[in-house]
Amino acid sequence: MESLMVDMVQYDCPYIDTTVDHDVSFTGLHWDFNTARQQLESRVLVKAGSVEELDNGLNTLREHRNMTDYRLLSRRGDQAIIKNAVGQTSAMQAIRNNNGYLTGAFEASDGSERWHIGFDRSDIVSDALSELDRENDFTVESRATITFEDYFDLVEHVGPAKTLLDACRSLSTVERETLETAHKNGYFSTPRDATLGTLADEFGISKTAVSKNLRRGQGKLMGQVLDAMGDIDERA
């Protein structure tokens, strides 16, 4: 399977048009293409810079000419989850005409949209991109050949992957910066190229404070890593 990550500007996409006019972003939580109605039906997470921007963004999205259905499922502050349907765009048609398919969530912000696209055969990718280029602007940010065994392995281990993602997100800014600096400067190398003293000088704090930040960060990561390893072993 050929897997591509594409940053794209569609000129008939409600999500992109809305992010041009308002400080909002959209992430597809779940989607399905309805072939009978020729539309993409999605549940989407909406994030905005403020409550007012969320109001304005949702109103603009709902009234877009290519929005065929809209329902507000939940809302909290400057975030909301909506269920909606979008008529088939030229980009969707180009991908589907060449037997392509979405392999992950789509993300729209700042006037463009990021798609994760898959093709079963590498020889049809050029035709798909050529057709896509007729009415859309895009950049292929990455392209890789993935075996179906690797793809199914990834799908099977979504749980452990989510655990590792949560571990990274649990780090405070200070913990993350401390771990990154320690790694970059060789604190975890053998022999060490950095000490608690050099790290303390780097951050302008005491060795005790640096040590505490390191232990906290390592503790958060290691706990989740071990949980993920246990889940992987259970599925093996």
Side-chain angles (χ1 to χ4, degrees), residues 35-84:
T35 54
R37 297 181 178 179
Q38 293 292 290
Q39 63 184 23
L40 187 71
E41 300 172 350
S42 311
R43 288 174 176 80
V44 179
L45 171 65
V46 189
K47 295 183 178 181
S50 66
V51 172
E52 182 180 2
E53 279 295 308
L54 181 62
D55 287 334
N56 295 335
L58 293 179
N59 287 336
T60 298
L61 184 72
R62 184 173 58 245
E63 296 170 3
H64 194 279
R65 63 189 181 281
N66 206 24
M67 182 66 61
T68 60
D69 186 31
Y70 173 93
R71 301 178 192 177
L72 178 63
L73 298 181
S74 65
R75 174 172 176 162
R76 180 178 297 175
D78 57 5
Q79 299 185 22
I81 296 178
I82 60 176
K83 178 181 180 182
N84 60 356

Side-chain angles (χ1 to χ4, degrees), residues 192-208:
R192 284 180 172 172
D193 294 327
T195 65
L196 287 176
T198 59
L199 293 178
D201 292 339
E202 182 90 12
F203 288 100
I205 58 179
S206 68
K207 290 191 289 185
T208 301

Side-chain angles (χ1 to χ4, degrees), residues 162-175:
K162 178 64 165 56
T163 298
L164 295 178
L165 181 61
D166 289 341
C168 294
R169 287 174 171 166
S170 71
L171 295 174
S172 69
T173 301
V174 170
E175 291 163 353

Side-chain angles (χ1 to χ4, degrees), residues 153-198:
D153 187 45
L154 177 62
V155 172
E156 185 177 358
H157 294 97
V158 166
K162 178 64 165 56
T163 298
L164 295 178
L165 181 61
D166 289 341
C168 294
R169 287 174 171 166
S170 71
L171 295 174
S172 69
T173 301
V174 170
E175 291 163 353
R176 178 172 179 172
E177 291 178 350
T178 303
L179 287 170
E180 289 176 342
T181 302
H183 180 267
K184 180 180 68 176
N185 291 351
Y187 178 80
F188 299 112
S189 301
T190 304
R192 284 180 172 172
D193 294 327
T195 65
L196 287 176
T198 59

Side-chain angles (χ1 to χ4, degrees), residues 160 163-164 222-235:
T163 298
L164 295 178
M222 286 305 300
Q224 298 285 56
V225 167
L226 292 174
D227 287 344
M229 291 171 60
D231 289 341
I232 293 172
D233 290 340
E234 289 178 4
R235 297 171 183 269

Side-chain angles (χ1 to χ4, degrees), residues 95-116:
I95 299 301
R96 295 184 65 250
N97 284 348
N98 292 275
N99 299 314
Y101 44 88
L102 297 179
T103 59
F106 60 84
E107 305 163 4
S109 62
D110 299 323
S112 69
E113 195 168 46
R114 179 170 291 178
W115 280 17
H116 302 270

